Amino acid sequence: MAVTGEKPAMSPRSDIPIADRIVGSWELVEYSTTSDTGTVGHPLGPDARGLIIYSADGFMSAQIMRPGRTLYRSANVHRGETSERGEAAGGYLAYSGPYHVDETNSAVWHEMAVSLYPNWIGDNQKRHVRFDGDRMTLSSDPLVFRTTTLLPALVWRRTAPMPAGSRPHHGETENHAHRRR
């Protein structure tokens, strides 16, 4: 993971660098946007769910979804009707790739190697980082859409480690592990 800046600034209220604090798994608490008029919205609903994972070797993955998306009629993941796939994708945000931390500006840069939204592939996007206890807030610079300016913010809570006995065995999903017990 590349860290830019000459001398690392420490994250607020901590002497631990962002590059060390950010590593791990985080569960979404809230995904909101605030408009220039002060209106708060929730693009994937007020109870959106998600995970973001930062690895120690410099890769990240973010997955966010609106709960309650309609199930496909087909059991084949690639055989959903056009309308089903459109609704599923419209309620989901996902991308992964390398990341690097800018300690000086309290920011993390996400390099979009893969993305559900194809326009992001190849982008490098800055996220401002703020920590408060076990929570991390990621926000971007304001986004301008025609006549509206939005400030997105995602609040994440560090996930608790899974107890060793509750992890699925190699090759089985979590659902299979629960049925095995």
Side-chain angles (χ1 to χ4, degrees):
M1 163 176 44
V3 179
T4 60
E6 301 232 343
K7 183 173 182 200
M10 300 302 152
S11 50
R13 291 184 241 163
S14 173
D15 59 351
I16 302 169
I18 294 169
D20 293 336
R21 292 186 78 182
I22 203 167
V23 171
S25 302
W26 302 81
E27 184 177 20
L28 185 67
V29 174
E30 182 181 33
Y31 170 27
S32 65
T33 57
T34 304
S35 73
D36 47 2
T37 63
T39 303
V40 176
H42 296 91
L44 294 177
D47 51 353
R49 297 180 56 202
L51 293 170
I52 193 166
I53 301 167
Y54 291 96
S55 68
D57 62 349
F59 286 85
M60 59 78 56
S61 182
Q63 310 279 321
I64 306 167
M65 69 173 215
R66 182 182 65 247
R69 292 174 301 140
T70 304
L71 300 178
Y72 287 13
R73 285 180 284 218
S74 171
N76 184 325
V77 68
H78 300 290
R79 299 278 184 229
E81 299 292 325
T82 302
S83 62
E84 292 171 328
R85 288 189 275 167
E87 192 229 335
Y92 207 92
L93 179 63
Y95 63 87
S96 301
Y99 75 94
H100 67 273
V101 173
D102 176 350
E103 297 283 351
T104 304
N105 294 301
S106 297
V108 60
W109 287 84
H110 295 167
E111 300 176 29
M112 313 297 190
V114 296
S115 175
L116 178 65
Y117 181 58
N119 299 29
W120 281 355
I121 296 171
D123 274 5
N124 289 309
Q125 297 185 8
K126 181 169 96 175
R127 304 289 187 260
H128 304 282
V129 183
R130 188 178 75 240
F131 292 98
D132 184 13
D134 67 344
R135 294 188 183 215
M136 169 179 69
T137 301
L138 299 178
S139 58
S140 72
D141 290 330
L143 305 172
V144 178
F145 299 98
R146 296 183 191 215
T147 61
T148 304
T149 300
L150 297 175
L151 182 60
L154 293 96
V155 179
W156 302 91
R157 178 178 40 246
R158 186 174 293 282
T159 60
M162 290 179 61
S166 68
R167 292 186 183 128
H169 291 275
H170 178 72
E172 79 178 351
T173 65
E174 187 66 28
N175 286 339
H176 289 112
H178 286 295
R179 282 189 240 145
R180 185 171 39 87
R181 292 179 198 172

